[in-house]
Amino acid sequence: MGQNSESVTHVVSENNSGDEVFELLAKQSGICRAALIDITWFTESMAAGKPLEIENRHRLQVNRTADRSATDIPVSQYACQRRTTLNNRNNLFTNALKILAENAEFCENEGRNLAFARASSILKSLPYRVTKMDDLQGIPSLGEHSKKVIKEILEDGNCGEVEKLIQNERYQTLKRFTSIFGVGVKTADKWYREGLRTLHELKASKIKLTKEQEAGLLYYEDLIVPVTMAEADSIRKIVEEAVHRFLPAAVVKLTGGFRRGKESGHDVDLLITHQDEGKEQGLLHQVINWMAVQGMILYDDITDNRDQKWKTKEPELFDHFAKCYLIFKLQKDMVNVVDLNTSGDHDSLAVNEAKEMGLGGQAGTCEHAGCASVKDKDWKAIRVDLVVAPFSQYAYALLGWTGSRLFERDLRRYAKHFKHMSLSSHSLFDNEQKRFLMAATEEEIFAHLGLDYIPPQERNA
Ligand code: UTP
Ligand code: MN
């Protein structure tokens, strides 16, 4: 009974009280709308050769709550206390809220961005589809604005504000520009204010680009195509092979969205460690140099752990690990043939979005020689993040790099608020005992925080 989805209609129990079963279900999924029934229904149905109508005498008595509606089981306002699988029953609402969150980001309104992101996240965690406003009673993190959006979608099938936004020139342009590797909101907004609208105009302009942005533009067409699980797996194996040349016992772990079970993503996040702490030092340079000689690297930016670059960006997200942001050149024949076919007719959200907004089309005029026949070339450019963690920090690094971003954010918020602890991708510090808490596994970190363990597949907040 691991996945109790909407499709579960009957939960049969032998020997457990209604309250016990109810408690168990609540723990697993938050809310359950299936009928809780006694084993007698099952045996009688077997005897009859068909599922019988459920009579009152079959039902388990739940005393704790008279009416099992959505309002009875509290949903935590902390993503790290919710189980959020990829089975999102409220897409219609979360897609709209995502666009509003994105636009708030484009307006550099962090509070508003977070409010919409939280509203969207809480809807993703609900084990039922919202069909009426009453379904939202007692659900936290839903502001008036988000509720208004949901109400409109329930009534009209869409939300006027969102529909208008999708047509908005500034929104479209910032979305287009920020989809270039190396371009953030500030830069995109600057270009917009200078009158630029399309990638073609950007390329034709005399605007000075960073090395990162130049690479981002050069490989744009490839980079907006979602990375498949098969591609991520191939890259993990290739990197592992390279790493093992220098450190045969090192571990190369696929993290990020793929570890949470996503079938596609915007990049490949790999975490590297070695059991003998200290051995990992200098590894990243060796590996990158070797891969470069092999012609596997289109762009790389090594951030030494002494480098303080991270300080200027979102402080919450940035760590001091030695890491490398790179654009990897993946030979298509290195990827499992079966999966290559599926990556050919990608109909993923990101690409659809790009198509709808005319993003892909803009990049068609690629001046790069090797870019002219994008469809025929035998390789694909893919964004890869390599992170090297010392073994004693590995569990924290793994937890930090698995995401989702909101899940991480709420873990840290929870630690600070309820435990007076500071959590990062390096460590957990107890501010009262004034000491670091060691952990060899993610399970131990959750235990330090007094939280039920949430596996990666349920961290899709
Ligand atoms: P990503 O941005 O790659 O997100 O960061 P994702 O969940 O894998 O989604 P897609 O599919 O690639 O779009 C992965 C996690 O790594 C952490 C964040 O917590 C994020 O959840 N991260 C990322 C950092 O800690 N630091 C960074 O510089 C980047
Ligand atoms: Mn990722």
Side-chain angles (χ1 to χ4, degrees):
M1 237 262 347
Q3 253 82 22
N4 51 66
S5 63
E6 270 177 314
S7 55
V8 176
T9 52
H10 298 65
V11 176
V12 183
S13 149
E14 184 174 21
N15 277 339
N16 293 92
S17 75
D19 280 341
E20 282 168 347
V21 174
F22 190 58
E23 201 83 68
L24 196 81
L25 290 171
K27 249 199 180 141
Q28 290 219 342
S29 65
I31 298 159
C32 175
R33 308 221 144 160
L36 308 187
I37 45 190
D38 187 73
I39 190 80
T40 51
W41 171 84
F42 186 68
T43 48
E44 285 172 29
S45 296
M46 288 299 280
K50 60 171 192 205
L52 294 175
E53 258 323 84
I54 302 169
E55 294 171 32
N56 258 346
R57 64 191 173 84
H58 293 133
R59 291 189 189 274
L60 290 177
Q61 290 307 305
V62 179
N63 303 317
R64 204 170 55 91
T65 43
D67 172 26
R68 285 182 292 106
S69 69
T71 55
D72 289 319
I73 301 160
V75 176
S76 174
Q77 61 144 311
Y78 290 87
C80 55
Q81 286 186 303
R82 304 192 293 260
R83 294 176 188 269
T84 315
T85 65
L86 290 166
N87 182 9
N88 176 4
R89 289 142 173 109
N90 293 294
N91 263 322
L92 212 54
F93 313 109
T94 58
N95 288 344
L97 291 165
K98 188 179 144 200
I99 290 168
L100 292 170
E102 203 167 34
N103 187 58
E105 198 185 339
F106 294 162
C107 298
E108 296 186 66
N109 188 335
E110 219 184 295
R112 210 170 138 102
N113 168 256
L114 194 58
F116 286 129
R118 284 201 190 293
S120 168
S121 172
I122 208 122
L123 292 178
K124 283 185 193 168
S125 78
L126 298 180
Y128 57 87
R129 194 158 69 87
V130 172
T131 56
K132 53 186 186 311
M133 288 309 280
D134 269 358
D135 291 343
L136 299 174
Q137 284 227 4
I139 306 291
S141 307
L142 292 175
E144 286 314 308
H145 198 151
S146 295
K147 279 190 184 150
K148 191 178 135 242
V149 172
I150 297 167
K151 187 156 179 277
E152 227 182 296
I153 294 173
L154 282 173
E155 285 167 3
D156 312 335
N158 63 33
C159 165
E161 189 185 357
V162 173
E163 297 306 307
K164 234 174 94 187
L165 208 47
I166 295 172
Q167 301 302 323
N168 179 282
E169 193 178 30
R170 181 172 183 274
Y171 172 79
Q172 287 186 1
T173 308
L174 264 72
K175 183 149 175 100
R176 183 174 300 136
F177 288 160
T178 55
S179 71
I180 306 168
F181 172 55
V183 180
V185 169
K186 282 204 163 64
T187 306
D189 181 57
K190 188 164 150 275
W191 292 345
Y192 176 78
R193 283 186 283 108
E194 284 168 11
L196 298 173
R197 295 293 179 268
T198 65
L199 298 192
H200 189 71
E201 286 168 13
L202 176 62
K203 283 174 190 164
S205 77
K206 290 277 162 315
I207 282 182
K208 178 110 188 73
L209 299 174
T210 64
K211 284 263 167 291
E212 200 180 16
Q213 292 161 354
E214 258 171 31
L217 263 185
L218 196 52
Y219 304 111
Y220 185 80
E221 289 223 314
D222 273 5
L223 297 182
I224 58 159
V225 177
V227 184
T228 65
M229 182 66 202
E231 289 166 340
D233 215 49
S234 304
I235 292 177
R236 194 203 66 79
K237 286 199 186 104
I238 293 166
V239 170
E240 184 178 63
E241 232 182 272
V243 166
H244 283 179
R245 286 180 172 269
F246 304 99
L247 266 187
V251 174
V252 180
K253 179 91 178 160
L254 185 58
T255 65
F258 289 111
R259 183 163 180 250
R260 302 197 307 273
K262 281 175 65 176
E263 276 300 318
S264 65
H266 98 282
D267 68 355
V268 181
D269 305 292
L270 296 173
L271 182 62
I272 303 167
T273 195
H274 190 280
Q275 205 157 359
D276 300 334
E277 189 149 339
K279 283 243 171 97
E280 78 286 349
Q281 282 194 19
L283 176 67
L284 199 56
H285 278 100
Q286 290 175 306
V287 170
I288 297 294
N289 286 343
W290 185 81
M291 292 198 305
V293 170
Q294 305 302 307
M296 294 174 177
I297 291 180
L298 298 166
Y299 168 87
D300 72 81
D301 175 15
I302 291 202
T303 308
D304 218 82
N305 47 6
R306 288 182 298 272
D307 201 325
Q308 299 291 294
K309 222 196 240 174
W310 55 274
K311 264 193 176 167
T312 57
K313 306 201 183 162
E314 288 170 80
E316 273 210 324
L317 215 72
F318 283 82
D319 53 54
H320 316 253
F321 293 125
K323 64 173 83 68
C324 185
Y325 303 111
L326 54 89
I327 300 178
F328 193 89
K329 183 175 181 177
L330 180 65
Q331 294 298 327
K332 288 182 180 169
D333 59 11
M334 295 297 283
V335 185
N336 200 326
V337 181
V338 183
D339 297 293
L340 241 193
N341 294 333
T342 57
S343 76
D345 61 10
H346 44 73
D347 58 353
S348 107
L349 202 70
V351 167
N352 274 346
E353 253 170 37
K355 272 187 201 153
E356 275 163 31
M357 313 212 57
L359 295 178
Q362 307 288 349
T365 48
C366 184
E367 299 103 57
H368 175 49
C371 220
S373 51
V374 175
K375 301 288 172 297
D376 306 325
K377 72 188 196 337
D378 60 357
W379 54 271
K380 181 184 174 190
I382 295 182
R383 274 275 301 112
V384 177
D385 287 348
L386 298 183
V387 184
V388 179
F391 194 67
S392 61
Q393 299 170 25
Y394 179 68
Y396 288 103
L398 183 59
L399 180 61
W401 276 83
T402 298
S404 69
R405 275 165 200 264
L406 197 69
F407 191 90
E408 301 299 331
R409 192 178 180 126
D410 277 7
L411 263 178
R412 288 164 200 206
R413 193 163 64 102
Y414 182 93
K416 195 166 157 189
H417 220 88
F418 290 107
K419 305 300 252 186
H420 305 288
M421 292 178 185
S422 308
L423 175 68
S424 74
S425 290
H426 295 276
S427 62
L428 181 61
F429 185 75
D430 187 322
N431 291 303
E432 274 160 9
Q433 296 183 40
K434 299 268 176 270
R435 67 183 186 101
F436 287 100
L437 304 176
M438 295 301 144
T441 62
E442 288 181 317
E443 280 87 343
E444 288 175 33
I445 304 172
F446 281 86
H448 283 319
L449 293 170
L451 286 168
D452 281 346
Y453 178 67
I454 310 275
Q457 304 87 294
E458 294 177 338
R459 296 181 203 159
N460 288 289

